[in-house]
Amino acid sequence: MTERNTFTLDGEEVPFEPGQSIMNAALAAGRYIPHLCHNPEFRPHGSCKLCTVKVNGWLGASCTTPATKGAKVESEIPEVQEGRRAIVQMLFIEGNHFCPFCVKSGDCRLQAIAYHLGMEGSHLPHRFPSRQLDASHPDVVLDRDRCIACNLCVRASREVDGKEVFGLTGRGVETSLAVNSPSGLLKDTNLEPGDRAMQVCPTGALMLKRHGYETPIGERRFDQQAIEAAWESDY
C-alpha cells in the first residue's frame, strides 16, 4: 500500500500531489490560508506575502513554497498573524480604502481579511494618494487609489482573456496599474465587462458602471459569512 503525501497545517493533516504548493494543497483540502494575490487559476505571483506561513520553523510564502511530505506548517499562530496584520495595515494606508463609502464594501477581500485578522485600525499615517482615475470606458471604471497591485487582473487578462490589457509599472509604493493602449486609457482597449480580469479584482479598483449597490449592505457576501468560510466562492 502506497503511503500518501501529507503535511500538517496547524496540526491537521493535508494531502498533496507532487508539485503542488502548500497554498494550493490547502485550498484543495478546504483549508483557508489568507491571501490576496493568489488564485489557483493562475501562476503564483508571491507578491503580497499575506499567505506567509511557518514551514518547519522558517517563514515562506505558501503560494510559492512546494508542499513536502511530513512538513509542519503553521498559519493561524500569533507570530504569523501579526505579520499579516502589518501587511494589511500598509495596504490600507498606501491607498484610499474608505470602506463605509466604497461600493465594494461587504464584497471586498481586503476588507474581509482585515476583519479576519482582527485589524481595528491602520495605526500608521495614511498617504492619501491621488492616482489617475480612468472612467473613459463605457462600462468600466478603474480607480487606482483602490488598487493593491496584486497583479491578478494582469494575469487574468493575459492568461484567460488573451488580451494583455493591464500591466504594472513602478516599484514599491509607486507601483501602479497601467493600461496597455496607445492613450493609456481603458476606452482604447478591447476590455469587456465579462472578462475574467474584471472578476478577479479583490478590491473596488475595477468596477462596472451602473451596477453599484445592487445588493443591500448587510446582505453582501462577507456581510453574511467571514472570508474563512466564504473564500471558495471566488474559485
Side-chain angles (χ1 to χ4, degrees), residues 123-145:
H123 303 294
L124 296 165
H126 282 255
R127 295 185 72 236
F128 298 118
S130 182
R131 305 183 184 107
Q132 182 190 27
L133 180 81
D134 186 345
S136 65
H137 192 283
D139 299 308
V140 175
V141 62
L142 166 60
D143 184 346
R144 289 183 172 85
D145 287 338

Side-chain angles (χ1 to χ4, degrees), residues 8-90:
T8 61
L9 175 59
D10 292 330
E12 293 186 18
E13 231 176 40
V14 174
F16 69 92
E17 298 295 328
Q20 242 181 342
S21 67
I22 290 172
M23 170 66 81
N24 281 344
L27 295 180
R31 297 293 306 277
Y32 177 68
I33 295 175
H35 57 279
L36 281 168
C37 77
H38 183 71
N39 184 313
E41 279 184 66
F42 315 121
R43 280 173 287 183
H45 195 243
S47 59
C48 77
K49 306 300 182 192
L50 197 67
C51 71
T52 294
V53 292
K54 209 166 189 180
V55 186
N56 295 332
W58 296 87
L59 294 172
S62 62
C63 68
T64 55
T65 303
T68 54
K69 192 172 181 178
K72 178 185 178 184
V73 180
E74 297 170 286
S75 176
E76 301 283 325
I77 59 174
E79 175 189 351
V80 171
Q81 294 288 67
E82 184 59 36
R84 290 172 179 158
R85 199 156 34 243
I87 290 170
V88 173
Q89 286 171 329
M90 285 189 280

Side-chain angles (χ1 to χ4, degrees), residues 49-189:
K49 306 300 182 192
L50 197 67
C51 71
T52 294
V53 292
K54 209 166 189 180
V55 186
N56 295 332
W58 296 87
L59 294 172
S62 62
C63 68
T64 55
T65 303
T68 54
K69 192 172 181 178
K72 178 185 178 184
V73 180
E74 297 170 286
S75 176
E76 301 283 325
I77 59 174
E79 175 189 351
V80 171
Q81 294 288 67
E82 184 59 36
R84 290 172 179 158
R85 199 156 34 243
I87 290 170
V88 173
Q89 286 171 329
M90 285 189 280
L91 290 174
F92 265 85
I93 67 158
E94 287 171 2
N96 292 334
H97 303 285
F98 304 121
C99 299
F101 314 107
C102 181
V103 69
K104 190 79 171 181
S105 182
D107 194 34
C108 170
R109 283 205 279 138
L110 178 64
Q111 179 193 43
I113 288 174
Y115 282 126
H116 172 75
L117 296 172
M119 183 180 131
E120 296 180 345
S122 60
H123 303 294
L124 296 165
H126 282 255
R127 295 185 72 236
F128 298 118
S130 182
R131 305 183 184 107
Q132 182 190 27
L133 180 81
D134 186 345
S136 65
H137 192 283
D139 299 308
V140 175
V141 62
L142 166 60
D143 184 346
R144 289 183 172 85
D145 287 338
R146 294 176 181 167
C147 177
I148 58 172
C150 66
N151 204 260
L152 280 172
C153 64
V154 177
R155 285 173 282 166
S157 182
R158 181 180 59 231
E159 297 175 23
V160 179
D161 304 327
K163 296 182 177 179
E164 298 197 42
V165 170
F166 300 105
L168 290 178
T169 62
R171 296 175 63 87
V173 294
E174 302 303 326
T175 301
S176 178
L177 190 64
V179 173
N180 184 22
S181 71
S183 65
L185 296 174
L186 285 176
K187 69 181 178 67
D188 295 320
T189 69

